[in-house]
Structures are given as C-alpha cells and as structure tokens.
Amino acid sequence: FSDGVMAVAITLLVLDLRVPEPEPGRSLASGLLELWPNALAYVISFIAIGIMWLSHHTMFHRLAGVDHSVLVLNLVLLLCIVVLPFTTSVLSSYLDVPGQGVLAAVLYAGSFLVTSSLFFALQYHLLKRRPHLLREAPDPVQTRSILRRGLVSIPVYVLAAAAALVSPYLTLG
C-alpha cells in the first residue's frame, strides 16, 4: 500500500510539466525555458520523495510485524507525502509571481518539514517504543545513527522555509 501511494505521489509530480502552447512569435525553445520553475520543482520533489521511498522501504524491511500505532503513523505519513505534488505545483506556479513566491516557497518547505518530521516520528516510534516489532533490534550505536540521519532533514527544511523570506529561489536551492 505504501509503495503504491508513493508511486502515485511521485507520478502526480509530472502533471505540472505541460507542453507549451504554440504562440505566434514565440519559439518552442522559449516556451520550454519558461517551464524551468516547474522542471526544477519536479526534479527536487521527485528526488525527495524517492529518498523517502528508499528510507521507508528500508525501515519497513526491518519489521517482523506491525501494530495499530505503526499503521496509523504510517497512514498519516502517507497523507503528507500525497500532498507534496500539490505544494510542488503551488511553488512552480507562484515562484515568479511578485508577492506570492514567498508564501508558495514557505508552503513547499513546510510540507516537506511536516512530512520529514512524521517520518522521523515513525522511525523513532519503531526503534524506541516498538523494538519488539523489529526482526532484529539494532544496537544502540546503529539506533543513534539511524535517528541522527532522520533528524538531518528537519533543520534543512526549517532553513529552506526561512530562506523563502529572503528569496523563494533560495528555498529551491
């Protein structure tokens, strides 16, 4: 189920890449160049969701079983992942609109912040509160390493949201 939801989310990202309409006096090349915010947001979001999918796959591969709390946390995580194509579309549509790019970039970074926070919460829940569900409990050093890697993205997304206040383009960076 999770793989399917993530596959749909990653597929929906491409819907913002539309063929430019033919216009007199405008070349196809210039029309494609105008799509750069959409293309860049697509690539960044595709990579981010891809990383989440890889990490999710690794996390669930460690499990021998699940309980209700794991299913609920996973469902909320998937809810957030499915919103990412929408926030990507908002960013690519409003990045160049004066006075609107900041909010679009904050929304975009914020959606990734919430998603990565929930991902970390699920990882923490499994490693610290439900280790009996794991095939093999990692040693304390491995556990710290896994959790530390999961924490890395949270301050990055906070910084990306704050960077939008300076320039929405910094959020993409």
Side-chain angles (χ1 to χ4, degrees):
F1 177 71
S2 298
D3 285 347
V5 169
M6 288 190 212
V8 168
I10 216 165
T11 302
L12 289 174
L13 291 171
V14 79
L15 295 180
D16 260 0
L17 299 178
R18 293 188 181 93
V19 175
E21 291 294 322
E23 292 179 20
R26 184 177 83 161
S27 69
L28 174 58
S30 66
L32 290 171
L33 281 174
E34 290 172 11
L35 285 175
W36 77 263
N38 303 63
L40 184 58
Y42 165 78
V43 168
I44 291 168
S45 296
F46 188 100
I47 290 168
I49 294 173
I51 290 168
M52 288 178 210
W53 174 76
L54 289 169
S55 299
H56 189 274
H57 184 74
T58 300
M59 177 174 36
F60 272 73
H61 183 70
R62 287 188 196 109
L63 295 177
V66 296
D67 64 10
H68 183 74
S69 66
V70 172
L71 292 174
V72 169
L73 279 170
N74 190 57
L75 196 58
V76 175
L77 172 63
L78 294 174
L79 171 92
C80 292
I81 289 171
V82 171
V83 169
L84 297 175
F86 170 74
T87 60
T88 301
S89 182
V90 169
L91 177 67
S92 63
S93 297
Y94 285 90
L95 183 66
D96 287 334
V97 178
Q100 305 299 312
V102 171
L103 178 57
V106 168
L107 178 69
Y108 180 72
S111 66
F112 277 101
L113 173 62
V114 170
T115 303
S116 64
S117 297
L118 278 162
F119 194 95
F120 177 79
L122 178 56
Q123 189 83 278
Y124 181 89
H125 184 71
L126 288 168
L127 292 170
K128 294 291 194 173
R129 300 191 185 275
R130 298 292 193 269
H132 61 279
L133 295 175
L134 300 171
R135 292 177 199 267
E136 185 179 307
D139 65 51
V141 172
Q142 289 174 314
T143 298
R144 279 193 302 278
S145 175
I146 292 166
L147 293 176
R148 196 175 317 117
R149 281 193 311 264
L151 275 176
V152 167
S153 61
I154 293 172
V156 170
Y157 291 128
V158 168
L159 183 61
L165 302 174
V166 175
S167 169
Y169 298 98
L170 287 175
T171 298
L172 281 176

